[in-house]
Amino acid sequence: SLFTSERKCAAFLSNFHFSKAARVFFNNLHCDLPAWSVSILPDCRNVVFNTAGVGTQNSQMAMAQTSIRLLYWETYDEDLSSLDERSKLTAVGLLEQVNLTRDSTDYLWYTTSLDVTSSESFLQGGQKHILNVQSAGDALHVFINGQYSATGSAFGSRENRQFTYTGPVNLLSGTNKISLLSISVGLPNIGLHYETWQTGIRGPVWLSGLEQGKYDLTRQKWSYQVGLKGEAMNLASSHGTSSVDCLWGSLAVRTQLPLRWHKAYFDGPGGNEPLALDLRSGPSRFDWDCSAEAWVYRWTKAILLKVLESELEQLY
């Protein structure tokens, strides 16, 4: 980056390669840039600072297992039936996620509807329709008529946040509701022009397998719901209302539903060292809530119940 005025000049020279140094020719000078670094030239001639010279911790941290007493688990099933009622914004086309959520939550619902005639061949045992969704990141869960699709999840990677979901969907005769839960995993803070990177479902979104051929849903009217209902109900807090308390249930008696919160209570270890949760038994996302003194978990995989039961058995 170069900044100039009538009498002054300043420059920032960057090398984004992880392992290779680079030599660049700038302002009639040769400048050496270490790997993954930025050099600052306040007069466009002399390097006064390079980020590669900043000392970093080179020792490897190790987790030490601690003995804690698990008190109990609670679960809460996210309510999907009132998505349309809670949607406060509708627009033609697909909106960018962070601009809409303002980073107040990692979750944004995209919902639209599709009318299917009774003459469609799939209703008489034909092949299912295929839904295709292109997302700018970071993850996606697909719900059709309030039901989680059998193959209804997809996600990007650290190297490439963008991805495409492709999977069969069960549509019914009449009006069908397509709900897409887009999930962001933090905000980008590094990379070229990362402030311009987009998040969420940017399209196109289309269905294949209809008798009329490919059906583009991108420019339809979509309704948007920011966040999950559990977030609005402040489920992570230990100071919830009585109506929230009665909705929490025991892990053992809950049936398997597609979108569920899990909350654990345990006696915290002594001291003030940072805590880490070992999740090598399966990929997941936990958030530590200090006021509730609990790990709050949001997930959509039914297999989680079996994983948690297995973990509980190992603790006793």
Side-chain angles (χ1 to χ4, degrees):
S1 300
L2 180 64
F3 302 89
T4 60
S5 64
E6 293 182 359
R7 298 183 179 180
K8 296 183 179 181
C9 172
F12 296 83
L13 304 182
S14 305
N15 179 8
F16 289 110
H17 199 282
F18 282 101
S19 58
K20 294 183 179 179
R23 166 167 280 199
V24 298
F25 189 71
F26 171 74
N27 200 20
N28 295 321
L29 296 172
H30 287 284
C31 298
D32 294 316
L33 300 176
W36 197 245
S37 70
V38 178
S39 290
I40 301 176
L41 294 74
D43 57 0
C44 287
R45 295 191 63 83
N46 299 297
V47 177
V48 298
F49 181 77
N50 181 272
T51 56
V54 178
T56 58
Q57 179 180 349
N58 54 20
S59 59
Q60 186 173 2
M61 306 262 318
M63 288 195 303
Q65 187 171 358
T66 182
S67 297
I68 61 172
R69 187 169 69 93
L70 179 67
L71 300 179
Y72 57 92
W73 282 91
E74 289 178 331
T75 66
Y76 170 75
D77 298 325
E78 183 74 17
D79 181 16
L80 306 182
S81 61
S82 58
L83 271 178
D84 289 339
E85 300 171 6
R86 293 185 283 127
S87 298
K88 298 180 179 179
L89 173 66
T90 60
V92 175
L94 299 164
L95 303 181
E96 201 276 335
Q97 181 167 342
V98 176
N99 283 338
L100 200 55
T101 64
R102 298 298 180 185
D103 197 32
S104 61
T105 174
D106 288 340
Y107 303 90
L108 179 64
W109 286 99
Y110 294 73
T111 302
T112 191
S113 61
L114 174 70
D115 291 328
V116 174
T117 63
S118 58
S119 61
E120 288 286 340
S121 60
F122 81 95
L123 295 173
Q124 283 76 44
Q127 292 185 343
K128 293 182 180 180
H129 299 90
I130 303 298
L131 177 66
N132 298 268
V133 181
Q134 290 193 12
S135 172
D138 293 291
L140 170 72
H141 299 307
V142 177
F143 296 82
I144 306 296
N145 297 320
Q147 300 296 316
Y148 176 69
S149 238
T151 58
S153 294
F155 51 88
S157 64
R158 182 177 180 179
E159 293 76 18
N160 186 10
R161 300 169 65 238
Q162 300 181 13
F163 63 91
T164 299
Y165 165 83
T166 302
V169 292
N170 290 318
L171 299 180
L172 305 175
S173 176
T175 301
N176 292 262
K177 183 170 70 174
I178 301 174
S179 299
L180 309 176
L181 179 58
S182 179
I183 306 170
S184 62
V185 184
L187 293 177
N189 60 2
I190 197 168
L192 186 63
H193 301 301
Y194 68 83
E195 72 280 2
T196 65
W197 295 357
Q198 295 188 332
T199 300
I201 302 169
R202 305 301 292 142
V205 177
W206 75 94
L207 271 169
S208 59
L210 291 169
E211 291 185 358
Q212 66 185 48
K214 178 179 176 180
Y215 189 86
D216 193 352
L217 300 168
T218 308
R219 298 302 301 170
Q220 284 202 163
K221 184 174 75 172
W222 291 81
S223 61
Y224 296 87
Q225 172 61 38
V226 175
L228 301 175
K229 187 175 181 180
E231 291 178 303
M233 297 170 67
N234 200 20
L235 293 184
S237 173
S238 60
H239 308 292
T241 63
S242 58
S243 61
V244 174
D245 293 336
C246 69
L247 290 173
W248 284 104
S250 167
L251 178 67
V253 300
R254 287 285 181 167
T255 57
Q256 295 184 5
L257 288 178
L259 195 59
R260 171 175 295 165
W261 295 65
H262 290 77
K263 188 174 182 179
Y265 292 86
F266 59 90
D267 289 335
N272 57 2
E273 295 296 322
L275 293 178
L277 190 60
D278 189 349
L279 299 176
R280 285 177 293 183
S281 60
S284 52
R285 165 160 185 185
F286 279 80
D287 295 325
W288 173 255
D289 183 81
C290 295
S291 61
E293 296 185 349
W295 294 100
V296 180
Y297 181 53
R298 285 157 281 192
W299 189 242
T300 60
K301 294 291 186 182
I303 196 173
L304 174 65
L305 185 60
K306 295 181 180 179
V307 174
L308 295 178
E309 290 174 345
S310 174
E311 295 290 339
L312 290 174
E313 291 175 357
Q314 296 178 20
L315 289 173
Y316 290 100

